[in-house]
Amino acid sequence: MESLYLLIPISLVFILIAIRIFFWAVNSGQYDDLDSEAERILFDEADDLSHPEEIEESQEQQKEQQ
Amino acid sequence: MTELSAEHCYHCGLAVPAGANYSQMIGDKLRAMCCPGCAAVAATIVGSGLGSFYKFRSAANTLANETSLELFLDWDIPDIQNEFISQRGQGQQSILLFIDNISCAACTWLIEKHLGKLTGIETVNVNGTTMRAEVIWNPEQLRLSEILNAIHQIGYIASPINDSSDIPEIKDQTRQLLLRLGVAGLAMMQAGMVAIALYAGSFQGMQQEWQTLLRLVSLLFVTPVVFYSAQPFFSNAWRSLKMRHLIMDVPVALAISLAYVASLYATFQGAFQGAFNESTGSASGEVYFDSISMFIFFLLLGRFAEQRIRHKNLLSLNRGNRLPPVTTQVFPPEHYSFEQSEKSARGHRIVPIKTLMEGDFIRVDSGQTIPCDGIIQSGDTQVSEALLTGESNPLTKQAGDAVYAGTINGANPLVIKVSATGSDTKLSTILKLAERAAMHKPRWASLADHVAGWFIGALLIIASSVAWYWYLHDPERALWITLSVLVVTCPCALSLATPTALSVASSVLRREGFLINRSYVLELLPKIGRVIFDKTGTLTEGNLTLRHIEPAAENSAVNKFISTRQILGWAATLEQGSQHPIARALQQYVAGPIEQQQFVTGSGVSGSINGDQFAFGNPKWVAEIAGIELPNNRGQGAQKKDSMHSKGIEVALARNGQWIAKLYFGDQLRESAHPAVRQLRSKGLSVSLLSGDPSPAAAEIVQPLALCDYQFSLQPEQKLQTLQQLQAQGQSVLMVGDGINDVPVLQAADISVAMGQASELSQINADVILLCNDLRALPRAIAVAAKTRRIIKQNISWAIGYNLIALPLAASGYVPPWAAAIGMSASSLIVLVNALRISRGLRN
């Protein structure tokens, strides 16, 4: 049971680190948009799967427009 | 994710009008589109390789309009963009755009990807919660107008904004609450873990030393929760006490502080006893640290959800979109004199509206919003003053007449001498009146705060009599029993009962496009006895559509060879370039160029197509100009200018002095009006219409609806009177409207609902905004509100019932502290889960 005297302070240190990280994350704006960030990863993956020639074509079109 | 049936537009989800033939390949399927606007948007999205957007979106898009670069050229003028742009290093600029119709996460992705493809764009960051996009770009490679046009090409409405307003404040509030919530959550988990050890210890026996250690550890975890996370409860409670008014935060703060102090006392008493006397064990005093942190965490969670919905509603109000134009064409005084006609006046330049001065001369083209109050110097036109007066038919105005800011110039270009700008305009005066009316509206005290008053009273009386009783009989145990009474009666469940249910209900309704601005709406909705639509425009689409074509009888021989398509083509070609509602109704049929086009205000238009002379307008005027007799099959009715009868507005078309056809135009009911009225009536509500429109046209449109009663040609004062009479009879009234002129009437109603297209100010003043313009949201909202009310009642009776059972047990000293803590947490959880039931069974 004496191990508690060591383990509890260690857990306290971890909690402190977790809270520091959480504060840093919130204050640097990572939680400002709670709606779209969660799904963003899905779209980017789908983007890679879509036809590459289509994208090239559209980029050419864009250039022509400009 | 969103599957739409074949006859609905794949992009915006509206019904595809009969005869419309627009479509777009998306993925490997040909999808129907309702209009060229949506088709163009879908083509742009698919064309830039972003077609997977349609797979991921979770809501249909809004109806798209066609766009062109010219619409945004004003934004390239340095004077105008300077206000919004900030300079970054390396020749880059950044701007904040408000994007009006972001509906899901896929929208943010689409906008970022699409803009990111333009050359010159550095970064694009779209925030779906605040509906704002930050764009950093290189102005030498890309103009602002091109950025705005690119966003409009994929169907979103973007406008530059200045975020000096409430956005930073909202961001700070959200972050602050999130931090408090996070701290409470982390601490709750730790304290809960330690509590398991403590509970196990109190069953199996535990040495005083370890018990004290564990108590001290959980004290360490809970102290920041009480002093940091729970701080808003304390400050709210203190503020309400100073104002001598009890709100739910008072018993909450009281419970938190009592439980904390008692646990603190027990911890240290145990520690000292342990040091001096091993044998007393843990007989007296218990700690409630785990319950405190859990209670605070759940309360904060409820508050966070509620705040998010409130902020989202605030942010999604249509800003920017409805603002008057940002620029206008001004003539330097030396270049303009009264003798010159507006065409020969030279040297007008484009300036920001805020630099306009009284006495300036400005030019307002047809279809533009008039930016200031003024007197017409030259030009005659039709002006729609719907924003001010609610009158949807345009008024004829000519030189010498006054025009007002916010009204729309319908027909011909005008030169106006500015008489008032900014806050001196008639529009601003009306807005100020509206704001004043809003302040005088009686507010409903919320149910929870109402309960808080007697709850805290009863609590204190019971606790002190329990303390008194035990002090007389067993002074040793008096303190601990009193404290366990206070903890058992902790108002957790009671204080969670209402807010959790309300925030679940608001978020359910938000998804339906029913934005709640004021918290009392949900409590009041089930009591509503009558729904009043304050103008015909709320039940109808608000624009003219072609109803019927009647080829002229006497020329049947000729007309055999003229198709309906041809008639429409001629009429549309004649009207092209005009902003008149009839011209807009015909827009899609335009077929070719026109020469000698001439608009005559209030009468019609004439011109020549392929060498044939045409006239299109009210029959009497067409007869005059074509030099022919009026067709007599219409009798007297046809003599009236813009005559309204059962078929709508009558417009005649003549070619080379011969009648070709008559076209009838009218407004039409919203698709959702029928089911909405039927559902409202089946709920036992009365539905009425109090309209300011002159009766015949309006009456005919609403005839098919089973309204309880309707009145027409009412002045705002008469509407107010009718409304107050109904309220005096004890009816609660919900009023749906959209005009600024009706704001006093809307304010007098128990609940006011503004339509999505209404002006920004009437939206801010309204209790509810109907974003989707789907009237069926009304009966649905009433159903949700009724369900919410039922659930709040269940929650409150559960909370009170729990207290009633636990209190006598605790007062007689039978409730062990672990049972008190479990009971307290379980009763809060039950309330939470019960609130979540609101969202079940309502989807789809």
Side-chain angles (χ1 to χ4, degrees):
Chain A
M1 286 296 273
E2 273 67 26
S3 61
L4 281 184
Y5 284 116
L6 178 67
L7 293 177
I8 288 178
I10 292 178
S11 77
L12 275 176
V13 169
F14 276 115
I15 290 300
L16 271 180
I17 293 173
I19 287 184
R20 281 294 301 172
I21 293 177
F22 179 65
F23 267 61
W24 165 78
V26 170
N27 285 327
S28 63
Q30 298 186 36
Y31 284 86
D32 283 357
D33 183 0
L34 291 168
D35 298 302
S36 30
E37 300 304 329
E39 292 177 41
R40 192 180 295 268
I41 186 170
L42 299 173
F43 306 139
D44 284 337
E45 191 181 337
D47 193 35
D48 294 337
L49 293 174
S50 71
H51 313 291
E53 63 275 10
E54 217 174 55
I55 296 172
E56 276 162 30
E57 257 174 45
S58 73
Q59 279 166 348
E60 276 161 28
Q61 280 169 10
Q62 292 280 346
K63 276 174 201 155
E64 275 164 29
Q65 279 170 16
Q66 287 152 19
Chain B
M1 296 191 183
T2 307
E3 283 302 325
L4 295 163
S5 62
E7 65 273 28
H8 288 276
C9 176
Y10 191 70
H11 181 75
C12 70
L14 294 178
V16 176
N21 187 20
Y22 304 101
S23 57
Q24 171 64 40
M25 281 297 285
I26 293 169
D28 44 7
K29 278 195 186 134
L30 194 66
R31 305 288 190 173
M33 296 283 153
C34 66
C35 60
C38 287
V41 166
T44 313
I45 293 175
V46 173
S48 43
L50 300 173
S52 51
F53 163 73
Y54 287 102
K55 261 193 291 181
F56 291 114
R57 63 175 180 175
S58 50
N61 296 59
T62 45
L63 178 68
N65 290 316
E66 284 175 277
T67 172
S68 74
L69 196 56
E70 280 98 74
L71 291 175
F72 307 102
L73 286 180
D74 278 357
W75 288 106
D76 291 335
I77 301 164
D79 274 356
I80 291 160
Q81 50 169 244
N82 278 349
E83 195 186 327
F84 299 97
I85 282 177
S86 53
Q87 299 293 336
R88 295 286 173 115
Q90 298 147 1
Q92 289 173 345
Q93 294 183 332
S94 76
I95 194 168
L96 208 57
L97 302 172
F98 176 74
I99 303 194
D100 201 13
N101 36 6
I102 290 185
S103 54
C104 65
C107 298
T108 63
W109 172 81
L110 179 64
I111 295 168
E112 285 180 3
K113 287 281 164 186
H114 184 67
L115 283 190
K117 288 186 172 151
L118 301 176
T119 1
I121 290 276
E122 195 59 33
T123 54
V124 186
N125 197 346
V126 185
N127 185 326
T129 307
T130 57
M131 305 170 81
R132 276 149 176 77
E134 195 191 20
V135 182
I136 302 178
W137 83 104
N138 186 343
E140 279 167 21
Q141 288 173 295
L142 190 67
R143 284 174 302 155
L144 180 55
S145 58
E146 290 170 323
I147 298 175
L148 292 172
N149 190 39
I151 298 177
H152 284 244
Q153 270 172 356
I154 48 171
Y156 298 93
I157 300 166
S159 40
I161 47 164
N162 257 334
D163 255 353
S164 55
S165 52
D166 40 0
I167 304 305
E169 204 180 302
I170 285 181
K171 203 163 85 181
D172 284 353
Q173 280 179 6
T174 316
R175 284 184 181 182
Q176 189 103 66
L177 196 52
L178 199 61
L179 288 176
R180 293 187 202 281
L181 185 65
V183 169
L186 279 169
M188 174 188 76
M189 291 184 245
Q190 301 308 314
M193 211 159 64
V194 176
I196 290 176
L198 281 173
Y199 288 143
S202 64
F203 280 121
Q204 299 169 351
M206 186 188 226
Q207 278 181 14
Q208 179 77 41
E209 183 197 356
W210 300 115
Q211 190 187 44
T212 304
L213 173 70
L214 291 180
R215 284 181 175 188
L216 280 171
V217 170
S218 44
L219 169 69
L220 213 57
F221 285 127
V222 171
T223 306
V225 179
V226 172
F227 287 96
Y228 176 69
S229 299
Q231 195 257 328
F233 302 112
F234 290 118
S235 52
N236 283 348
W238 178 240
R239 204 176 319 130
S240 88
L241 281 179
K242 271 202 297 199
M243 289 164 68
R244 297 177 182 285
H245 166 73
L246 290 176
I247 59 170
M248 209 63 216
D249 282 348
V250 178
V252 167
L254 192 69
I256 294 174
S257 36
L258 281 175
Y260 182 73
V261 170
S263 311
L264 200 67
Y265 180 73
T267 308
F268 284 108
Q269 197 200 30
F272 288 128
Q273 273 179 357
F276 296 119
N277 181 3
E278 245 349 92
S279 66
T280 26
S282 57
S284 68
E286 282 301 333
V287 295
Y288 303 98
F289 292 125
D290 53 324
S291 314
I292 299 175
S293 55
M294 196 157 154
F295 174 42
I296 294 174
F297 177 75
F298 281 130
L299 273 177
L300 284 173
L301 197 63
R303 241 166 242 210
F304 184 69
E306 185 204 313
Q307 192 192 58
R308 240 165 81 84
I309 292 163
R310 208 180 51 234
H311 285 169
K312 254 187 137 158
N313 288 353
L314 207 65
L315 290 165
S316 50
L317 284 179
N318 289 341
R319 274 154 219 268
N321 186 22
R322 319 270 167 206
L323 292 179
V326 284
T327 59
T328 187
Q329 305 161 6
V330 68
F331 299 100
E334 63 274 17
H335 284 184
Y336 184 80
S337 66
F338 292 101
E339 289 74 33
Q340 285 176 309
S341 81
E342 50 90 18
K343 269 178 192 156
S344 63
R346 276 182 305 275
H348 64 252
R349 59 201 169 87
I350 295 174
V351 297
I353 279 174
K354 53 178 189 177
T355 63
L356 273 188
M357 307 272 280
E358 205 182 312
D360 281 348
F361 292 96
I362 60 165
R363 184 188 148 105
V364 179
D365 284 333
S366 110
Q368 285 187 337
T369 306
I370 297 172
C372 57
D373 287 2
I375 311 288
I376 298 180
Q377 299 299 318
S378 70
D380 56 341
T381 187
Q382 288 188 310
V383 175
S384 160
E385 296 194 343
L387 182 68
L388 293 178
T389 61
E391 169 62 53
S392 52
N393 287 332
L395 302 174
T396 304
K397 299 243 175 178
Q398 49 193 313
D401 287 344
V403 288
Y404 304 104
T407 59
I408 296 166
N409 178 12
N412 298 315
L414 289 179
V415 174
I416 295 169
K417 185 180 180 188
V418 178
S419 63
T421 56
S423 60
D424 299 329
T425 57
K426 191 173 174 185
L427 180 66
S428 305
T429 323
I430 295 178
L431 297 187
K432 273 181 227 149
L433 279 176
E435 275 175 293
R436 208 169 307 152
M439 288 194 301
H440 290 292
K441 185 165 183 176
R443 295 287 174 235
W444 283 66
S446 84
L447 191 57
D449 287 344
H450 200 67
V451 174
W454 65 258
F455 182 84
I456 187 171
L459 186 86
L460 291 176
I461 290 168
I462 292 170
S464 42
S465 37
V466 166
W468 178 245
Y469 174 84
W470 283 100
Y471 181 72
L472 291 182
H473 291 85
D474 189 357
E476 279 274 296
R477 296 176 67 197
L479 176 67
W480 294 108
I481 289 178
T482 313
L483 277 173
S484 84
V485 165
L486 283 171
V487 172
V488 159
T489 56
C490 163
C492 325
L494 196 59
S495 55
L496 286 168
T498 324
T500 47
L502 289 182
S503 55
V504 172
S506 322
S507 76
V508 167
L509 288 175
R510 189 175 195 287
R511 278 200 296 270
E512 303 262 334
F514 191 89
L515 291 199
I516 295 172
N517 267 358
R518 312 269 198 273
S519 52
Y520 54 83
V521 167
L522 277 169
E523 291 181 25
L524 209 48
L525 260 178
K527 301 195 186 113
I528 292 296
R530 183 179 285 265
V531 175
I532 298 181
F533 292 93
D534 99 321
K535 63 171 59 170
T536 323
T538 50
L539 288 167
T540 60
E541 299 278 1
N543 45 32
L544 292 181
T545 47
L546 180 69
R547 285 208 181 150
H548 178 63
I549 300 178
E550 188 182 280
E554 59 261 48
N555 276 326
S556 48
V558 180
N559 282 346
K560 258 184 210 155
F561 305 103
I562 299 174
S563 69
T564 313
R565 191 94 205 167
Q566 233 167 343
I567 296 176
L568 286 174
W570 284 330
T573 310
L574 281 164
E575 286 276 5
Q576 67 181 293
S578 160
Q579 290 294 325
H580 194 274
I582 289 183
R584 263 177 278 159
L586 290 171
Q587 215 166 14
Q588 59 189 104
Y589 303 106
V590 173
I594 179 166
E595 286 152 33
Q596 299 159 21
Q597 184 186 30
Q598 201 175 4
F599 289 101
V600 179
T601 306
S603 301
V605 56
S606 63
S608 87
I609 303 171
N610 298 333
D612 290 332
Q613 279 298 323
F614 283 92
F616 182 59
N618 85 60
K620 196 179 168 197
W621 174 82
V622 173
E624 259 170 42
I625 205 158
I628 43 174
E629 289 275 301
L630 272 176
N632 46 16
N633 57 343
R634 286 270 133 245
Q636 285 299 313
Q639 308 278 338
K640 243 173 86 189
K641 190 169 151 187
D642 266 12
S643 79
M644 311 264 208
H645 56 83
S646 62
K647 284 173 179 168
I649 300 171
E650 181 184 39
V651 191
L653 177 69
R655 179 179 66 164
N656 296 334
Q658 276 183 322
W659 292 108
I660 296 290
K662 279 186 186 161
L663 285 75
Y664 297 92
F665 294 90
D667 202 351
Q668 62 182 25
L669 284 175
R670 283 178 201 277
E671 212 184 320
S672 58
H674 266 291
V677 171
R678 206 171 42 237
Q679 286 166 20
L680 286 171
R681 299 230 23 204
S682 72
K683 285 183 193 300
L685 277 77
S686 319
V687 183
S688 14
L689 174 66
L690 298 180
S691 177
D693 294 346
S695 76
E700 176 238 324
I701 295 171
V702 299
Q703 207 87 60
L705 293 176
L707 295 175
C708 299
D709 58 288
Y710 40 86
Q711 296 179 39
F712 293 102
S713 311
L714 292 179
Q715 294 297 311
E717 302 82 58
Q718 293 172 301
K719 289 188 191 177
L720 192 59
Q721 252 174 17
T722 319
L723 184 75
Q724 282 165 344
Q725 272 169 16
L726 288 169
Q727 285 175 325
Q729 291 163 17
Q731 286 201 36
S732 292
V733 178
L734 178 144
M735 192 134 190
V736 188
D738 60 1
I740 288 181
N741 63 317
D742 286 324
V743 165
V745 192
L746 282 173
Q747 289 298 341
D750 297 271
I751 297 179
S752 56
V753 178
M755 302 299 281
Q757 319 109 323
S759 63
E760 188 183 331
L761 214 112
S762 44
Q763 289 194 345
I764 288 173
N765 280 321
D767 299 327
V768 174
I769 301 162
L770 210 55
L771 262 198
C772 60
N773 292 328
D774 181 349
L775 294 172
R776 278 170 299 185
L778 281 179
R780 261 183 242 144
I782 292 177
V784 170
K787 192 168 179 186
T788 309
R789 195 180 163 73
R790 219 163 44 236
I791 284 191
I792 290 178
K793 275 188 178 165
Q794 286 168 3
N795 278 353
I796 288 182
S797 25
W798 158 255
I800 289 176
Y802 160 77
N803 278 343
L804 284 182
I805 295 168
L807 185 71
L809 291 177
S812 45
Y814 287 123
V815 176
W818 57 267
I822 290 177
M824 190 168 111
S825 313
S827 71
S828 310
L829 280 176
I830 287 176
V831 162
L832 270 176
V833 171
N834 196 25
L836 287 174
R837 286 198 310 135
I838 295 174
S839 63
R840 288 236 320 268
L842 284 158
R843 284 179 207 165
N844 307 319

